[in-house]
Amino acid sequence: MGRYSRLRRIRRMDPQQDFEQIFRWITHYEFPRDYLQGTSVAFLRDYGVPRISRLLDRTQEFERAGQKRYDDTVLISYEMVREGMDSEHGRAAARHLNRIHGRYRIPNEDFLYVLATTVVGPKRWIDRFGWRRLCEQETESLALVGRRMGEMMDIEGVPDTYAGFERLHDDYEREMFAYDPANRRVASATLRVLTSWYPAPLRGAAARLSLAVLDEPLLKALGFRPQPRPLRVVVPRVLRARAALIRLLPARPERFPRKPKARTYPFGWTLDDLGPHWAHSRPPAPLPDETPSEQAIGTAQPSAPHVPRQETR
């Protein structure tokens, strides 16, 4: 398969009909690492909003079990789409996510913003540091996956297009970004998770490299100083050099999708493993387009363990 073969196929597809397939190609084949990096930056952007970071700070989940909290966030989103968002499994994952959020009184506008970061963050990272920019069909597919997630979470006012998500994202940050000590605490806990993946002597450098690609409004809201200018110049150049190298490599074969690695679950996971332990004591509510009887049918059988391919390779 040629490097651009999949892109040519995507450009012939209709995102309104094929957005889930296009999304799987983006996340498992074309930009798996870049998509995850964009999602990680999206997590940090959430902490620039005091109302969001104070809630996360009160739960102490990143302090007590940061790696699990990080893995669970990535994996629940993955489980919602891996068999189709309207499959039985996709709906069960959405119910589980809603059950976790149902414990807290979260304003709709905060839900909207967090959802927007998961659409806008990966797009902007890929366009900046990926081996190519996203095409129009891929961009709209990200937005359509975000819109469907928002519908399943019963979020009001979810945009229909990427442009709508981007406008919501930027307007919200201009209004709501502000420093709060909770921002710094939650961001620091998350950085400890991200840098723990490296040998101990390299963790300080890894944290500085991560901060070097963040924009000044976000750094200010998180309470971090900008990194020295040479570092802010060199790190993007290194990432773009990596992209140029990847551009020369062959496309990932269809038989080898790159799926999430979960350090918390080296032998696989089920939906029941994901989320705080107390979540399972709360009964799941039907999705907005379900009746209680439809929900009962969808949750009648336990979800099977899922073992990512790359954990055994």
Side-chain angles (χ1 to χ4, degrees):
M1 176 182 287
R3 195 66 178 108
Y4 291 88
S5 298
R6 199 172 279 117
L7 173 61
R8 287 192 287 269
R9 292 167 67 184
I10 290 171
R11 282 177 167 161
R12 294 194 295 268
M13 298 169 76
D14 178 5
Q16 293 292 332
Q17 300 295 324
D18 304 315
F19 65 91
E20 289 186 89
Q21 177 61 60
I22 295 172
F23 181 80
R24 280 190 284 270
W25 279 340
I26 292 170
T27 56
H28 296 339
Y29 295 95
E30 295 289 272
F31 307 100
R33 288 185 180 275
D34 290 301
Y35 180 84
L36 188 59
Q37 287 292 332
T39 301
S40 297
V41 172
F43 290 164
L44 291 173
R45 302 202 79 82
D46 297 340
Y47 312 149
V49 180
R51 191 163 60 193
I52 295 174
S53 60
R54 287 173 194 154
L55 172 59
L56 294 170
D57 191 40
R58 285 198 302 272
T59 68
Q60 288 290 292
E61 288 183 15
F62 276 104
E63 290 289 348
R64 292 194 302 260
Q67 184 65 63
K68 175 175 168 56
R69 176 64 167 77
Y70 178 91
D71 286 339
D72 289 353
T73 301
V74 171
L75 294 177
I76 288 179
S77 298
Y78 167 71
E79 293 295 329
M80 285 179 68
V81 300
R82 74 175 173 94
E83 293 182 11
M85 299 180 74
D86 285 297
S87 67
E88 253 184 44
H89 186 78
R91 286 176 169 271
R95 288 188 214 102
H96 187 50
L97 179 61
N98 292 345
R99 173 165 59 179
I100 295 169
H101 287 151
R103 179 174 180 174
Y104 307 106
R105 298 181 64 180
I106 302 174
N108 187 77
E109 62 182 4
D110 290 355
F111 271 127
L112 273 173
Y113 171 67
V114 172
L115 183 65
T117 63
T118 67
V119 174
V120 177
K123 155 74 173 168
R124 287 182 172 173
W125 181 276
I126 291 170
D127 283 355
R128 186 181 179 192
F129 298 124
W131 65 272
R132 64 171 174 81
R133 296 173 64 89
L134 292 180
C135 69
E136 181 180 349
Q137 291 82 355
E138 290 167 322
T139 299
E140 288 307 311
S141 293
L142 289 181
L144 292 169
V145 167
R147 183 183 72 179
R148 184 62 187 132
M149 283 188 175
E151 292 170 349
M152 298 174 87
M153 296 172 66
D154 203 20
I155 301 174
E156 298 178 1
V158 179
D160 294 327
T161 64
Y162 176 79
F165 273 108
E166 189 171 49
R167 185 165 53 250
L168 183 155
H169 176 280
D170 293 347
D171 290 347
Y172 186 90
E173 288 190 354
R174 277 192 292 269
E175 180 181 354
M176 300 298 288
F177 262 15
Y179 174 70
D180 187 277
N183 300 11
R184 174 71 179 248
R185 287 193 295 271
V186 179
S188 296
T190 302
L191 285 172
R192 284 196 293 273
V193 171
L194 300 179
T195 57
S196 70
W197 305 343
Y198 301 92
L202 300 179
R203 290 173 187 171
R208 296 185 66 183
L209 295 175
S210 298
L211 293 174
V213 296
L214 301 184
D215 56 273
E216 190 169 346
L218 177 58
L219 289 170
K220 184 177 180 180
L222 296 180
F224 294 119
R225 293 180 179 178
Q227 294 299 299
R229 178 172 173 77
L231 199 61
R232 288 184 282 124
V233 171
V234 168
V235 173
R237 288 180 178 175
V238 170
L239 291 171
R240 293 189 184 104
R242 166 190 170 271
L245 177 62
I246 293 174
R247 195 177 300 124
L248 301 176
L249 299 177
R252 179 178 287 271
E254 291 286 332
R255 65 184 181 279
F256 292 132
R258 183 175 178 83
K259 297 177 182 178
K261 289 184 177 180
R263 289 168 172 80
T264 309
Y265 312 106
F267 304 108
W269 63 86
T270 71
L271 278 181
D272 287 341
D273 295 322
L274 308 182
H277 64 88
W278 51 256
H280 305 289
S281 64
R282 298 175 60 89
L287 298 180
D289 60 351
E290 290 179 334
T291 64
S293 59
E294 289 172 326
Q295 176 208 345
I297 293 172
T299 57
Q301 297 181 348
S303 55
H306 179 69
V307 181
R309 179 189 297 271
Q310 73 271 17
E311 296 289 46
T312 58
R313 281 177 20 206

